[in-house]
Each structure stands twice: as structure tokens, then as C-alpha cells.
Amino acid sequence: EPCVDACFAMDPASEACSECLDDAFLACVNTAGCQADYDALECCVNSCADPDSDACYTVTCAAQSAAYDTCATAKEDNCDDAVCYKTM
């Protein structure tokens, strides 16, 4: 995606761009109907000994992660991350 590439190229600390894209996507799909699945996933992740580990998402919270991924995939085509490019 040219816009995503341009966003990263313009940002000397591209982490901010990445965070914006992630936040925009989460906000969009959650507003579109995935909030309950997201909340269930976050609740489960918070119970993991290491919430940042892959095992937390793939083993401990596999059902919640799959439910959220399914919902997000179904809603993602209606999401626009243009908010991250306001200054371009």
C-alpha cells in the first residue's frame, strides 16, 4: 500500500505511524461490531502470566483470539486508516 509506505517513510520514528494504523484499525472494527470479542480477548490476555507471549494468544486465549480475528476479518473491508495520513 503506497499510503502505508509513505507514512512509514515520513515518520523518522515509524513506531508512531504503526501505532496509529493499529489504533485506527482496532477502533474501526470494534465500532463495526467486534467490541465484545475484543473485550473478551483482552480479559483473557490479562489473565496470562506473560500477556505479550505468543502462547497467550495461541494457547491460553486461542478461542477468544480466533473469535476476534474472524470478526475483524469480516469487518476490515469497511475500515479506512486515512486518519493516519492527515498531514500528508
Side-chain angles (χ1 to χ4, degrees):
E1 295 180 298
C3 280
V4 173
D5 293 339
C7 182
F8 284 115
M10 289 178 60
D11 189 348
S14 62
E15 187 64 29
C17 183
S18 178
E19 287 178 21
C20 182
L21 293 170
D22 288 346
D23 290 348
F25 177 78
L26 287 174
C28 180
V29 296
N30 287 353
T31 299
C34 298
Q35 187 68 56
D37 289 327
Y38 181 80
D39 292 345
L41 175 59
E42 287 300 297
C43 184
C44 183
V45 166
N46 288 334
S47 72
C48 290
D50 182 2
D52 294 323
S53 70
D54 286 342
C56 181
Y57 290 87
T58 60
V59 178
T60 307
C61 302
Q64 293 86 347
S65 185
Y68 184 70
D69 288 348
T70 298
C71 184
T73 299
K75 307 293 184 185
E76 70 185 356
D77 287 344
N78 297 322
C79 292
D80 183 5
D81 54 15
V83 66
C84 295
Y85 311 113
K86 289 189 296 191
T87 61
M88 294 176 93

